[in-house]
Amino acid sequence: GEFRDDLRGFLRGEPGLVAAVAHRLAGSPDLFGSPMRSLNFLTAHDGFTMYDLVSYDHRHNEANGWDNTDGHHDNRSWNSGWEGDDGAPDSVLALRERQMRNAMCLLLLSHGVPMFVAGDEFARTQGGNNNAYTQDNETSWIDWERAEAFAGHERFVRRLIEIRSAHPILYDPERWEDAMVLHGAGGKPDLAFESRSIAWTVDGLYVMANMWWEPVDFEIRQPGDWWIALDTNDPWSPPVGTRAGTHVTVGPRSIVVLETRGPRRRSRPGVWRNTQESKPWPRRSRVRHHALRRPVLSSRSIDQRVAWMPAKRNGSGGNGNGFDLTKSVWVATVLRPPRRSIIVEAANRVAAT
C-alpha cells in the first residue's frame, strides 16, 4: 500500500516524499473517501518485521530453500549503516531503536486505522527473512525474551498509544480538512524534492518530523502553551514547556511531539458504529495481552473494523505452548468503546470448525 511505501521511504530519508507523506498522515484523502478506510501499516504478517526494517538492506531468505530468490526484493528498508546484528556497533543499535520509535510515531499519529504485527513493540526479528512462511521455528516464532531486552521500546509504544487515545481526532471518521495545518521548519511546509522534514498540527498535537541526518530547528507556528510530550532522540527526558514563536531543535532522524492543554477544535468526533457495538465487553481474554493491561474485544465485535493478522508464539502451530494460527491473531487498531478509546493490542478469534 501507499502508506507503507511512502512512510518507509520517508523513514529512511528518501527525497521527494514530503507531499505524499502529508496525504498519508491525513488518512490518504487522495485514495479513500473516509479515513477509516485507510488501514495504516508499515509491517504485516509477511515481509520484514519493524526491527528488520531498520536492520537490513536486503532479504536473507537462504533458509527457505529458494536460493534467496523468494520474498519481495524491494523492501524500502535501511540497515542504519550495518547489515544485520553480528558485530553491529552500539551507535548503529541506538540509531535502530530511534528509527523504530520514529516508525511508531508516524504510524500511531496518522489519521486512520493503525496496525502493527505482534512483537513489533519489542523489536521482534526474523533475522532478515522477509518470507518466513516455511519457517515453523525460532525464525517466525515470537521470542518473548526480547520483551525484556527491549522493555524501553515497549514503554515508548505504550506512551504513544496513550497519546493517541487522548486525541479522538486521530480516529475521527470525518476528514480533517482544515483541522490539520502543515508547517515547515520556519514557515510554510517545504515540499521541495530534497526536503526530508515536515510538521503538522491537529487538535492539540504538534508533530515535527525530521528525517534529515542533521538536526533541524523548528519554529513553533501555532499559538498556545505547548509542552514536549515525546522526543524520539531523547525518549525519557522530562516534559518541557514552550510557546509559539520559540524554536525546538529536532535531532537527526528524529520526531518531537508537542501537546497543549488548551481547548481542542474537534474533541468529539462522530462514532464509527457497527452492528455488534452494543455487545458487552468481555472481561478476560484467552490471549496474553502483555503491553496494555486493558480489556480485549471479542472477534465478533470487531470483525467489521480490523484486518486479522496471525501470530505465533514459541512452539509449533497449536502444539505445546504455541498458538494455533487458526484461532489466534494479534492486531493493533483504533476503536472507540463506550467509555473511552483504546488500542486493541491482542484479540482471540475462534475459527469455525
Side-chain angles (χ1 to χ4, degrees):
E2 283 83 353
F3 183 95
R4 175 198 61 200
D5 293 343
D6 290 342
L7 269 296
R8 281 188 178 191
F10 181 66
L11 184 67
R12 70 175 184 171
E14 289 183 24
L17 287 175
V18 171
V21 166
H23 282 297
R24 306 302 154 243
L25 296 171
S28 298
D30 55 327
L31 301 176
F32 304 109
S34 168
M36 290 299 99
R37 294 183 178 272
S38 179
L39 181 61
N40 302 334
F41 66 93
L42 292 168
T43 58
H45 63 286
D46 57 355
F48 278 157
T49 66
M50 195 167 289
Y51 180 82
D52 290 354
L53 187 67
V54 300
S55 302
Y56 295 91
D57 278 354
H58 310 287
R59 64 192 177 198
H60 293 266
N61 298 352
E62 291 82 2
N64 296 349
W66 295 91
D67 295 327
N68 203 33
T69 60
D70 63 310
H72 207 281
H73 70 282
D74 182 16
N75 298 285
R76 306 292 286 272
S77 61
W78 180 52
N79 63 14
S80 305
W82 192 280
E83 188 75 0
D85 286 342
D86 291 344
D90 291 343
S91 59
V92 168
L93 297 177
L95 175 56
R96 288 175 181 173
E97 289 202 45
R98 186 162 80 248
Q99 286 285 77
M100 287 192 294
R101 292 192 289 267
N102 292 336
M104 282 293 186
C105 278
L106 294 172
L107 174 64
L108 292 174
L109 299 181
S110 294
H111 199 188
V113 181
M115 178 186 72
F116 59 86
V117 184
D120 277 347
E121 73 276 25
F122 52 77
R124 173 176 168 258
T125 181
Q126 294 183 164
N129 193 321
N130 73 351
N131 194 34
Y133 73 102
T134 64
Q135 304 299 318
D136 190 6
N137 51 44
E138 289 83 356
T139 298
S140 63
W141 298 340
I142 294 178
D143 181 4
W144 295 96
E145 293 182 359
R146 289 180 75 88
E148 181 177 352
F150 289 89
H153 183 59
E154 186 176 353
R155 290 196 302 272
F156 181 86
V157 174
R158 191 181 305 178
R159 173 64 181 136
L160 260 177
I161 291 172
E162 291 172 352
I163 290 176
R164 184 179 180 93
S165 298
H167 294 271
I169 199 170
L170 294 173
Y171 40 94
D172 189 341
E174 300 176 4
R175 291 182 178 179
W176 283 346
E177 297 178 347
D178 61 347
M180 179 187 188
V181 181
L182 298 178
H183 308 280
K188 295 182 179 180
D190 184 359
L191 305 181
F193 180 78
E194 290 299 330
S195 175
R196 293 170 173 84
S197 64
I198 188 172
W200 68 97
T201 53
V202 60
D203 195 41
L205 280 174
Y206 199 132
V207 185
M208 296 169 282
N210 172 33
M211 295 300 107
W212 195 261
W213 39 90
E214 295 179 358
V216 173
D217 287 337
F218 283 79
E219 180 185 356
I220 300 178
R221 308 285 297 178
Q222 198 78 358
D225 293 324
W226 300 91
W227 58 283
I228 298 177
L230 281 179
D231 183 348
T232 62
N233 191 46
D234 189 8
W236 313 124
S237 59
V240 177
T242 186
R243 297 180 61 85
T246 60
H247 288 79
V248 172
T249 299
V250 182
R253 303 188 189 275
S254 299
I255 296 176
V256 171
V257 180
L258 308 181
E259 281 191 293
T260 181
R261 299 293 187 183
R264 294 175 184 164
R265 180 173 182 177
R266 299 169 69 184
S267 60
R268 190 172 179 80
V271 180
W272 186 19
R273 300 185 181 277
N274 69 15
T275 58
Q276 300 292 340
E277 193 165 16
S278 60
K279 291 185 66 62
W281 285 55
R283 291 184 176 274
R284 298 182 64 86
S285 169
R286 291 168 57 192
V287 179
R288 176 184 179 187
H289 52 291
H290 67 281
L292 292 179
R293 309 302 182 187
R294 290 179 178 175
V296 175
L297 288 180
S298 68
S299 62
R300 288 191 63 189
S301 61
I302 58 175
D303 265 345
Q304 299 181 20
R305 303 192 190 186
V306 304
W308 294 98
M309 303 302 298
K312 298 179 184 179
R313 284 189 64 183
N314 290 346
S316 58
N319 300 323
N321 63 347
F323 284 154
D324 186 337
L325 289 184
T326 65
K327 296 183 178 180
S328 297
V329 297
W330 185 293
V331 64
T333 184
V334 176
L335 301 175
R336 190 164 191 229
R339 297 181 63 180
R340 62 170 301 183
S341 300
I342 67 168
I343 296 281
V344 173
E345 181 219 17
N348 188 47
R349 188 184 195 185
V350 178
T353 57

